[in-house]
Amino acid sequence: MNKNPSQVRAVAHLSGPMMVLAGPGSGKTSVIVERTSYLIHHCEVPETSILVVTFSKAASREMRERFLKKENRPASGVTFGTFHGVFYGILKCAYGLTAKNILSDEQKREFLRELTEKYGEDLRQEGEFLEDLGREISLVKGNRVDLKYYYSKSCSDEIFRKIYQGYLEKCRRQRLLDFDDMLLYTWDLLSKRPDILKAWQEKFRYILVDEFQDINPLQYDVIRLLAKPENNLFIVGDDDQSIYHFRGARPHIMLNFEKDYPDAKTVVLNVNYRCSKEILRSAMNLIGRNRSRFEKELTTPNPQGSPVHIVQLENPRQQCLFILKDLQTYLAGGGRLEDTAVLLRTNLEAEPLVHALMEYNLPFTMKDRLPNLFEHWICRNLLDYMEMAAGDMSRRRFLAVMNRPNRYLSREAVYEKEVSLETLRIFYEDKEWMCDRIDLLETHLKLLRQMKPYAAVNFIRHGIGYEEYLQDYATYRRIKVEELYEILDRIQESAKGMESLKQWEDFMDEYGRKLKEQAQRQQERKEGITVSTLHSAKGLEYERGYILNVMEAHVGLMKFENIRILKEMRNSVNRQVNCETANLNKTVSAAVKQIEDIQYIQSTIGFEKLPENLAEIARLRLEQPGMSLKELGQMLTPPVGKSGVNHRLRKLSFIAEELREHKEERIL
């Protein structure tokens, strides 16, 4: 390794604390490897006295392999490990733990599912809720937050506390430790047993920590204990690259390192060997706007390179089409897909891109789990409504959506395998207002039965009030409702052109099958474009990169205007809501009655015996059950007004009533 002056200073540091501010592409891994070798060969430090800590098994394995390659030998006494791996080793020696004492991911998820069903039954349908809950439990443990002062982002504080306490109790009874417990138990052990602490301090006299900006308070406290009294603590990181706050990482620990260790030496690795001048300049211009950071001026010996392009597009579909078109140009010029990465903020954001790549038959590799939009709980809710309308009134389906939006229906009222709305009415017979809600639900299901998938989703959103439920849900979970609306939009968009629920569900099944095939291909061979979250791609290098949704430009551009429109809309809604609520049952019931009358006429005498104007409106109403009278009138030839449409529909209802009384002779 040809070292620059900053790298030389870092490698040759002998004793005491040191902070290495390592900018991106500055050779921090090489510095750690070189320093480890330097301590052994130039400072005569025993290999067994050196501990190198990383945040992932992959990083630890890479560090060890690079060290062994430099040393040109198959093994070494240096300890390379993750925080959890090192701390588990300490606990194993103290308590005789085995692999059976470690809580698996599957066990943890099952514990949380059981507790959610017990304390937060309405939340168990959400696929991501258990993951969010698990992350919050880790945050509480990792930051040693007093539970009574913690405010949950996943659910109400009361429910979270009950689930948290229940989770701890389940682990305790079964003598199981999760990953966070390894940190807590290690801290507790070393704090209470000075003899054990001293033994480990004497073993690990030199401690090197990689990616220090991602450390949490508990990890830091344990490392500080181990480093005493010599404090040969060598930390490497970059506060500008702290992107794991959601996991508990606290970059302020690195920012305050010199306060904790006033005698600490600081070195800045300020030469970037990875990026072009243009990329580095753009990155530094952006990150330089952060207020809480170490000031760093990075340079690079690399060429100027191509400029960074910022492209503003209106929606995710346009983003995907832009990438596909640009890739075609790139390939035509001799480029390779394997040199390309598309980076996103979240795994779910990858769904439109994955769909487009599969549509255009372009090979790709997804670093995270392949996202399936149709497995999202919102999609399941929509299908539950439509399947209920089609006749499937199973208890499972009904429970999933009966209070979405809230109808204040109790689970106690739903005790049969097949739900009967009439039984529900009997249960609430002393509450007229509840019976009205059940009647309205029945009317909604009758209307849904007549609609194609796209219209059905639209009716569920706006007619039934599912968007109102999402708004309440977002407030309750403390998340952005816009993200839920975006998912809802994409689901509805997929229903365009579908003639029936079965056709739409077949499309979903086929899409899921293709995703499984793609996942299988990825296991067998990595190929094509890399699609990854920013978090999973950290530290990797690609010749060509696209970053999607980084600034939410299409959202930000319209934010102010949306606020203005939203305020106006809310004022308008507030003025009209009482009137509309009072008329909703009447309007919807009338539409259902019209369709029933028209279908009766069709099944008895047929439309051919009707006057042409009545036959025309009858056919149109059956084809468009959710359309307003005004819209129906505009589709007639020639167009007629709302009153004219209403007159014809009333005439059809009269004919149907006459037919029911077997008075066909009086009609024609």
Side-chain angles (χ1 to χ4, degrees), residues 174-227:
Q174 300 187 35
R175 297 190 75 246
L176 292 172
L177 281 70
D178 63 15
F179 284 116
D180 303 296
D181 289 330
M182 292 183 196
L183 308 185
L184 281 168
Y185 281 49
T186 302
W187 163 254
D188 187 67
L189 173 69
L190 299 181
S191 300
K192 296 178 179 179
R193 291 290 301 273
D195 56 327
I196 294 177
L197 173 61
K198 185 178 180 182
W200 287 104
Q201 288 172 337
E202 291 177 350
K203 175 175 176 54
F204 296 133
R205 292 181 51 237
Y206 289 83
I207 301 176
L208 296 82
V209 183
D210 190 23
E211 303 287 3
F212 190 78
Q213 76 277 352
D214 295 328
I215 202 165
N216 70 31
L218 184 55
Q219 292 166 336
Y220 183 49
D221 287 346
V222 176
I223 288 294
R224 291 190 72 185
L225 280 178
L226 290 173

Side-chain angles (χ1 to χ4, degrees), residues 386 448 450-457 498-501 623 625:
M386 296 168 70
L448 275 177
Q450 312 296 326
M451 299 179 186
K452 295 178 181 179
Y454 186 87
V457 174
M498 301 295 171
E499 294 296 320
S500 66
L501 175 60
E623 293 172 359

Side-chain angles (χ1 to χ4, degrees), residues 364-397:
F364 67 93
T365 297
M366 187 85 185
K367 284 188 67 65
D368 305 278
R369 188 179 70 87
L370 288 170
N372 189 343
L373 178 68
F374 305 120
E375 291 179 352
H376 197 278
W377 60 268
I378 290 178
C379 187
R380 294 202 302 269
N381 282 175
L382 297 174
L383 292 176
D384 284 335
Y385 264 118
M386 296 168 70
E387 290 287 1
M388 284 166 56
D392 184 354
M393 292 292 289
S394 62
R395 185 173 184 270
R396 179 191 63 80
R397 289 195 187 279

Side-chain angles (χ1 to χ4, degrees), residues 84 103 105 108-109 112 116 126-145 147 150-155 160 163-164 167 178-181 183 216 243-250 345-348 368-369 376-377 473 477-479 483 533 535-536:
H84 294 102
L103 184 72
D105 291 340
K108 183 175 182 178
R109 187 176 179 84
L112 294 178
T116 301
E126 283 70 64
E128 76 272 20
F129 175 72
L130 298 183
E131 285 75 14
D132 292 346
L133 195 62
R135 279 195 289 268
E136 288 206 60
I137 290 173
S138 292
L139 285 176
V140 172
K141 289 184 175 183
N143 291 279
R144 285 171 292 172
V145 179
L147 200 57
Y150 181 77
Y151 303 99
S152 175
K153 296 179 180 179
S154 300
C155 55
F160 178 80
I163 292 175
Y164 183 87
Y167 174 76
D178 63 15
F179 284 116
D180 303 296
D181 289 330
L183 308 185
N216 70 31
I243 59 175
Y244 294 106
H245 192 275
F246 67 96
R247 292 184 187 171
R250 295 295 180 265
R345 293 176 301 160
T346 66
N347 191 43
L348 190 59
D368 305 278
R369 188 179 70 87
H376 197 278
W377 60 268
Y473 174 83
R477 290 283 310 277
R478 300 169 187 169
I479 59 179
E483 295 177 359
T533 63
H535 303 94
S536 296

Side-chain angles (χ1 to χ4, degrees), residues 443-451 459 588 591-592 595 625:
T443 301
H444 286 159
L445 295 177
K446 287 180 179 179
L447 276 176
L448 275 177
R449 194 178 302 150
Q450 312 296 326
M451 299 179 186
F459 183 70
V588 175
V592 173
I595 293 171

Side-chain angles (χ1 to χ4, degrees), residues 9-10 71 99 112 150 257 283 364 401 429 446 475 534 599 606 639:
R9 284 182 59 201
E71 294 287 301
L112 294 178
Y150 181 77
F257 186 78
F364 67 93
V401 296
E429 60 184 353
K446 287 180 179 179
T475 302
L534 290 161
Q599 289 175 334

Side-chain angles (χ1 to χ4, degrees), residues 1-13:
M1 173 185 178
N2 295 320
K3 297 181 284 292
N4 62 45
S6 295
Q7 291 173 331
V8 170
R9 284 182 59 201
V11 169
H13 176 72

